[in-house]
Amino acid sequence: MRDNEYFIIGRHPAVAALRSKDQEINKVFLQSGISQDDDTVKNIIRLAKGRHLVISKVPKQKLDLMSDNQNHQGVMLAIASFKYASIDDLFENAQSKGEKPYFVILDNIADPHNLGSIIRTADAAGVHGIIIPKRRAVGLTSTVAKTSAGAIERVPVARVTNLVNTVKELKDRGVWIFGTDMKGTDYRRWDARGASALIIGSEGKGIAPLLKKQVDETLTIPMVGDIQSLNASVAAGLVMYQGFNSRHPL
């Protein structure tokens, strides 16, 4: 089965989904003969029974097929779909924590592993929400959920038709826009204490020209090696944590 939006794969992502009040789950699949002495498996069974969900025990070969041979760890959830947030939801998330908004905007990230890794780091770095485009970019798939290690249940993701118009809306609502580029201010000087949104460009192409025109300040990651570029999720992680550092200084 190809990657799709209808399964959550792996033990820890399953626990996060089962704990989420917002995630609709249709069925729980457990590998036949899986050890129920494992604490995480026990927790999955307890949470599933608590939600009165059907638990189906199936052969490993079926889980391999359903997950397209991903590392399912003997556990999969069939879900209705991954729900996207609205821009208002992102602002409300920041307000509920008594913090200035801190968003990440992803310009056409195509690799689901990169998106999953970015969501996972965003959760750790205190990002209030992620914004992705509807076209020419990966959405919230089972691979993204697996790679995020459950963070997909905690970091709201908004999917918008036009990133340029969305950035203009954010600016009208008092958010400063920052973007990564080969030239700009050293990212280690970035002060994200105010309402901030960070744009991460696509793998290989960077930020689209029209979107770059909306950026208030560009940030660059200094490099001394021969390879003058970083994987999108690595670059995003470095800059997101500088935002965390400025918001939570030692």
Side-chain angles (χ1 to χ4, degrees), residues 14-27:
V15 169
L18 287 164
R19 285 176 172 167
S20 173
K21 295 179 180 179
D22 297 327
Q23 180 62 68
E24 295 181 23
I25 299 170
N26 295 331
K27 187 181 288 187

Side-chain angles (χ1 to χ4, degrees), residues 9-241:
I9 301 169
R11 297 183 183 186
H12 293 296
V15 169
L18 287 164
R19 285 176 172 167
S20 173
K21 295 179 180 179
D22 297 327
Q23 180 62 68
E24 295 181 23
I25 299 170
N26 295 331
K27 187 181 288 187
V28 178
F29 293 94
L30 289 181
Q31 183 177 312
S32 299
I34 193 170
S35 173
Q36 296 187 16
D37 292 332
D38 181 272
D39 288 340
T40 306
V41 174
K42 284 181 181 178
N43 201 17
I44 289 169
I45 294 171
R46 180 183 61 80
L47 290 168
K49 288 182 176 179
R51 293 180 62 162
H52 306 289
L53 296 171
V54 175
I55 301 176
S56 295
K57 294 185 179 180
V58 298
K60 179 179 182 297
Q61 291 83 353
K62 182 171 182 178
L63 293 182
D64 290 341
L65 181 63
M66 289 165 58
S67 67
D68 199 14
N69 291 306
Q70 295 186 61
N71 182 21
H72 50 72
Q73 301 172 305
V75 179
M76 290 180 63
L77 305 181
I79 63 172
S81 67
F82 292 101
K83 292 185 177 179
Y84 291 96
S86 67
I87 297 299
D88 284 340
D89 290 334
L90 271 58
F91 277 95
E92 288 171 9
N93 188 29
Q95 186 177 21
S96 70
K97 296 175 181 176
E99 299 172 348
K100 295 290 182 67
Y102 183 24
F103 305 142
V104 170
I105 301 168
L106 303 178
D107 183 18
N108 297 334
I109 297 295
D111 187 331
H113 295 93
N114 277 342
L115 178 55
S117 295
I118 289 170
I119 293 173
R120 183 174 183 172
T121 305
D123 181 38
V127 171
H128 299 118
I130 291 175
I131 301 169
I132 61 174
K134 288 183 178 179
R135 292 184 174 184
R136 296 184 299 276
V138 67
L140 298 182
T141 68
S142 56
T143 296
V144 173
K146 169 70 173 174
T147 309
S148 80
I152 197 171
E153 302 294 341
R154 297 184 293 274
V155 180
V157 177
R159 202 178 196 189
V160 300
T161 303
N162 188 299
L163 283 180
V164 173
N165 289 341
T166 299
V167 166
K168 289 179 179 178
E169 177 187 344
L170 295 181
K171 294 175 83 169
D172 288 342
R173 297 175 72 165
V175 178
W176 288 83
I177 308 299
F178 301 85
T180 54
D181 197 17
M182 294 298 291
K183 296 181 180 180
T185 303
D186 190 313
Y187 84 101
R188 293 171 294 180
R189 298 183 182 276
W190 182 35
D191 185 346
R193 285 178 293 179
S196 304
L198 171 68
I199 304 177
I200 302 294
S202 64
E203 302 97 338
K205 295 183 180 180
I207 301 172
L210 287 176
L211 189 59
K212 190 182 291 186
K213 288 182 179 179
Q214 299 297 322
V215 171
D216 293 309
E217 184 177 4
T218 55
L219 307 171
T220 188
I221 299 171
M223 288 174 258
V224 297
D226 292 334
I227 299 175
Q228 292 295 302
S229 64
L230 292 172
N231 171 278
S233 66
V234 173
L238 285 170
V239 185
M240 276 191 280
Y241 256 94

